[in-house]
Amino acid sequence: MQTTFLLNGESITADTSPTMTLLDWLRDERGLRGTKEGCNEGDCGACTVMVTDDTGAKTLNACILFVPQLEGKVVRTVEGIAAPDGALHPAQQALIDHHGSQCGFCTPGFVVSMATAHLNKQKDHDDQLAGNLCRCTGYAPIIKAARAIEQTPPPGHLTADLVLAQQMSKDAAAKDQSAFRPKSTTELAKWYDDHPDATLIAGATDVGLWVTKEFRDLGPVAFLNGIEDMKGVTMSRETIRIGAMTTLADLQAALAPLYPAFGELIRRYGSVQVRNAATIGGNIANGSPIGDGSPALIALGAHLNLRKGTTRSLVPVEEFFIEYGRQDREPGQFIEAITIPRAGNHLYCYKLSKRFDQDISSVCGCLWIKVASGQVIEARLAYGGMAGTPKRAYQAEAAIVGKAWGEDTVRAGMEALDDDFTPLTDMRASSDYRMKTAKNMLIRAFAESHGQTVTVLDIDA
């Protein structure tokens, strides 16, 4: 399969298998070994590359990025961050000046992440570098290096990539594409109806691991990143429509002003690199019981817009998950969009994990609790990590709806959770811990609703 893109200023046409990762291709086919393989699952950031298209420059994990996803894009590896004349990028020089590297294995990934954040004028360094792991130096000198270049203008060869990417994207759109890269939802619907056993690849943050960790043969595949009509967030007075191919980064930007708790939950979903690639449709479609997007969408009363051929249907998110590993989806049917009714902000989201950043949830609770005149008039309580699927707590909802919003009602809801869930014990948490913390999330919501700031980042010694 041929893929044309720009690599470190050079036009490339790569002829690869559909599931060749960019990391393997760079190292094995191009000899560009600055991009490192660490975890090979998108966690450590050693493989970070800069990918620029008509939406701007982003960091992505090369280890779970398939080469065909780069059609019409501009790619910079660590070898292309310095200027063509060899002058170091300000990030590279700052890491030297501030002693930000020891063993050096992680350094290329940090350089690319810092250079991309610098190009984008992003100064939230803790967040921008949360997806890059360093075990030697510690983050203090690395953060100092990032701060030191905040006022330095970006190099010309990287700003030029932004212009080149605009033209590359236009050329890619005009290019005759194979069935592997549908350009519209209608094209995808027809092809997938004819190939119902195929694998759909959105951001590849999950599917990539099927290849790198499980060595699966995916069979026929379709890359969905060229389908523009499945991207973006459209708002009306009554609803919010989210294209299934909307990345979590774009979703966070769109929804955080409306639902700050949801925005903060997304911020803790993976790293910047992962959020730049992962899509909300893929997050739901993989059916993970600990996927953080689904509890929030269930609590918001969202519906999935499903499509098979020319037939469309609407399904509540909570009804899509039947049991572990099984969703209510026919062969050849896919998620086209998600629709959220607009009903104000009554949402509380809480994620518990062993690490604050970039970790899988032990329990994720998203609670929609609407209170009027001191009484709970509506509640949708959704949890991940408490069952084989993301699930609503119907008994707890019944225990609090119609009651005065006070401590007695909260306690009743907490007790009713015992009738909703029988959580498992596994490597992430015990059954008792999961149940106790799920109950405590109701207390946190009650405290927040009365103006108390509740955050695990506030520590009193």
Side-chain angles (χ1 to χ4, degrees):
M1 185 174 188
Q2 291 192 336
T3 306
T4 301
F5 57 99
L6 212 61
L7 174 65
N8 296 334
E10 178 187 357
S11 181
I12 295 291
T13 297
D15 194 355
T16 69
S17 71
T19 55
M20 166 73 79
T21 66
L22 177 60
L23 174 64
D24 287 345
W25 183 80
L26 288 171
R27 293 179 62 85
D28 298 342
E29 302 297 326
R30 300 293 297 184
L32 296 173
R33 296 188 174 90
T35 306
K36 305 298 185 186
E37 178 180 319
C39 65
N40 213 20
E41 59 186 48
D43 274 344
C44 73
C47 67
T48 303
V49 293
M50 182 191 300
V51 177
T52 306
D53 58 18
D54 56 355
T55 65
K58 304 177 182 67
T59 50
L60 295 172
N61 291 307
C63 69
I64 51 173
L65 182 67
F66 297 126
V67 171
Q69 292 177 275
L70 298 170
E71 177 67 39
K73 301 185 187 299
V74 177
V75 180
R76 288 276 173 182
T77 67
V78 68
E79 291 89 351
I81 295 299
D85 64 1
L88 293 181
H89 186 281
Q92 294 170 312
Q93 188 61 54
L95 283 170
I96 294 170
D97 294 342
H98 292 272
H99 309 289
S101 177
Q102 285 188 34
C103 86
F105 191 87
C106 70
T107 305
F110 272 101
V111 165
V112 177
S113 289
M114 291 168 66
T116 307
H118 180 249
L119 181 63
N120 292 329
K121 298 180 172 61
Q122 296 287 349
K123 299 178 182 179
D124 51 337
H125 305 302
D126 287 350
D127 196 24
Q128 294 298 314
L129 298 177
N132 293 84
L133 177 64
C134 176
R135 294 187 182 274
C136 298
T137 304
Y139 285 85
I142 297 172
I143 296 297
K144 286 179 182 177
R147 288 174 179 159
I149 65 172
E150 287 179 351
Q151 305 306 319
T152 306
H157 64 290
L158 297 186
T159 57
D161 283 355
L162 298 171
V163 178
L164 289 170
Q166 297 289 332
Q167 185 58 49
M168 293 283 290
S169 295
K170 290 178 183 178
D171 293 343
K175 184 179 177 181
D176 182 27
Q177 301 288 349
S178 72
F180 288 115
R181 299 189 187 107
K183 286 295 180 184
S184 69
T185 310
T186 299
E187 279 186 47
L188 171 63
K190 183 179 185 306
W191 184 86
Y192 197 32
D193 206 23
D194 293 336
H195 303 81
D197 296 327
T199 301
L200 304 186
I201 300 177
T205 54
D206 192 25
V207 174
L209 273 66
W210 298 357
V211 174
T212 64
K213 295 297 183 181
E214 300 178 15
F215 308 105
R216 288 196 210 174
D217 179 355
L218 301 184
V221 298
F223 292 97
L224 310 189
N225 55 320
I227 306 180
E228 294 299 322
D229 60 354
M230 282 177 65
K231 299 177 183 177
V233 179
T234 305
M235 300 191 187
S236 68
R237 294 182 62 181
E238 293 80 24
T239 62
I240 302 170
R241 180 183 170 88
I242 306 164
M245 282 296 297
T246 303
T247 65
L248 292 175
D250 289 342
L251 184 65
Q252 179 188 15
L255 293 190
L258 299 176
Y259 307 110
F262 196 4
E264 178 61 13
L265 180 67
I266 296 172
R267 188 184 73 79
R268 291 181 59 195
Y269 183 104
S271 61
V272 171
Q273 293 96 314
V274 169
R275 296 194 297 271
N276 282 338
T279 67
I280 187 61
N283 182 242
I284 298 167
N286 71 9
S288 172
I290 38 81
D292 291 337
S294 297
L297 293 171
I298 291 171
L300 288 169
H303 286 69
L304 301 180
N305 301 73
L306 301 179
R307 180 168 180 175
K308 176 178 168 59
T310 58
T311 303
R312 290 181 166 94
S313 57
L314 204 62
V315 176
V317 176
E318 62 263 35
E319 294 181 11
F320 182 68
F321 305 102
I322 299 173
E323 59 187 36
Y324 182 81
R326 185 179 168 213
Q327 293 84 51
D328 186 12
R329 185 176 64 86
E330 300 176 35
Q333 189 177 44
F334 62 95
I335 301 171
E336 186 174 14
I338 302 98
T339 303
I340 301 173
R342 297 190 69 166
N345 178 29
H346 309 282
L347 182 67
Y348 308 87
C349 292
Y350 306 112
K351 174 184 173 82
L352 289 180
S353 54
K354 292 183 178 181
R355 299 190 309 268
F356 184 81
D357 286 308
Q358 198 183 353
D359 201 2
I360 294 172
S361 293
S362 300
V363 179
C364 178
C366 294
L367 319 176
W368 173 274
I369 304 172
K370 186 174 182 179
V371 179
S373 301
Q375 188 176 67
V376 180
I377 61 172
E378 187 177 356
R380 286 189 298 273
L381 313 180
Y383 288 88
M386 294 291 288
T389 64
K391 187 180 175 185
R392 276 180 72 173
Y394 289 104
Q395 299 302 316
E397 292 173 6
I400 66 174
V401 171
K403 308 290 177 56
W405 184 227
E407 291 187 14
D408 290 343
T409 298
V410 171
R411 296 292 176 187
M414 292 169 67
E415 292 177 9
L417 281 174
D418 288 320
D419 298 324
D420 283 305
F421 300 111
T422 306
L424 296 174
T425 294
D426 61 18
M427 62 183 293
R428 295 189 183 94
S430 68
S431 175
D432 289 344
Y433 175 84
R434 285 189 159 109
M435 182 58 75
K436 184 177 293 186
T437 54
K439 291 179 176 180
N440 288 345
M441 289 176 181
L442 272 169
I443 298 178
R444 290 180 67 178
F446 179 73
E448 279 196 43
S449 72
H450 287 80
Q452 297 182 39
T453 300
V454 182
T455 169
V456 296
L457 294 182
D458 287 344
I459 301 173
D460 294 325

